[in-house]
Amino acid sequence: MIVGIGVIVAVAVAATGGGTNDKKTPTESTGRSPSPSLSLPSALPSLPSGLPSVVPSLPSDLPTELVPTELVPTDLESLLPSLADDEVPYYMLQKGDCFDTDDGLPGQAVKRTCTEPHDAEVVKVAELDGTYKTNAALKKAASTLCQGPLERKAAGQAAGTVRDTLVQYPDSGGYKVGIDKVACSLAADVGKGTHKLTKPLK
């Protein structure tokens, strides 16, 4: 069974690529290469004589506080959700990363050391490619990308170790702004399960 968690993201990722065509066309030579000529003007123009001699100063009665401080928090971090040091968006996970999930924070992963109890391990990180207009289309494409790698990896694990799969992918809004990563993971139990993985997958 493949479980998908859609993610609403507010981060725009832009990548540009491409190349230029540097083909040069051959030029004909007359046997003599032209040499550049450089000549300096004999007289330089003079500056106008009517420039002001005094630079105007700013008024001294400008307000010192343009915005009342009670309207702007002094700690701007209070405006942003705080993430724990080990908490990352799913699309920042890499192959071999072990992590815990939280139903209350879909799309977030709390990274763990693979030798301590954890919910899942990333088997593959893939990229979506194409046009997907609905969340259902994204879910289907993400599941297709993960199916083969997850089945192969699960076949090599001891019986009872892996009980579920986890496919994390962007929702249509996240995909439109450039988030195209899919994290394919094997899990002990997804959600409220008590079974944990305790070492790296084979």
Side-chain angles (χ1 to χ4, degrees), residues 99-150:
F99 63 97
D100 285 338
T101 61
D102 183 348
D103 289 341
L105 295 170
Q108 297 297 322
V110 180
K111 290 177 86 172
R112 298 286 182 237
T113 304
C114 292
T115 54
E116 68 179 301
H118 56 279
D119 293 335
E121 181 179 330
V122 180
V123 171
K124 180 179 181 171
V125 175
E127 289 184 11
L128 292 162
D129 186 23
T131 303
Y132 307 99
K133 296 187 182 203
T134 65
N135 290 335
L138 282 162
K139 179 179 180 179
K140 182 177 179 181
S143 296
T144 300
L145 284 173
C146 291
Q147 185 175 356
L150 290 177

Side-chain angles (χ1 to χ4, degrees), residues 41-202:
S42 59
L44 294 173
S46 61
L47 294 174
S49 60
L51 289 177
S53 59
V54 178
V55 177
S57 61
L58 293 174
S60 59
D61 59 347
L62 285 176
T64 56
E65 293 182 13
L66 298 177
V67 179
T69 55
E70 63 271 4
L71 297 179
V72 178
T74 55
D75 179 17
L76 292 178
E77 291 178 5
S78 67
L79 298 175
L80 303 171
S82 62
L83 298 176
D85 289 339
D86 52 2
E87 193 171 322
V88 297
Y90 87 88
Y91 52 83
M92 293 183 72
L93 292 171
Q94 297 177 5
K95 180 180 178 180
D97 282 348
C98 296
F99 63 97
D100 285 338
T101 61
D102 183 348
D103 289 341
L105 295 170
Q108 297 297 322
V110 180
K111 290 177 86 172
R112 298 286 182 237
T113 304
C114 292
T115 54
E116 68 179 301
H118 56 279
D119 293 335
E121 181 179 330
V122 180
V123 171
K124 180 179 181 171
V125 175
E127 289 184 11
L128 292 162
D129 186 23
T131 303
Y132 307 99
K133 296 187 182 203
T134 65
N135 290 335
L138 282 162
K139 179 179 180 179
K140 182 177 179 181
S143 296
T144 300
L145 284 173
C146 291
Q147 185 175 356
L150 290 177
E151 287 175 354
R152 286 188 293 276
K153 191 72 168 183
Q157 306 309 309
T161 304
V162 174
R163 297 183 179 182
D164 231 332
T165 61
L166 179 64
V167 175
Q168 295 167 297
Y169 58 95
D171 68 356
S172 57
Y175 189 67
K176 283 178 188 172
V177 297
I179 296 178
D180 59 358
K181 297 277 191 264
V182 176
C184 312
S185 305
L186 289 177
D189 278 328
V190 175
K192 304 289 183 195
T194 57
H195 179 66
K196 297 277 189 180
L197 299 174
T198 55
K199 59 185 177 181
L201 297 172
K202 296 178 184 178

Side-chain angles (χ1 to χ4, degrees), residues 13-21:
V13 179
T16 58
T20 58
N21 187 356

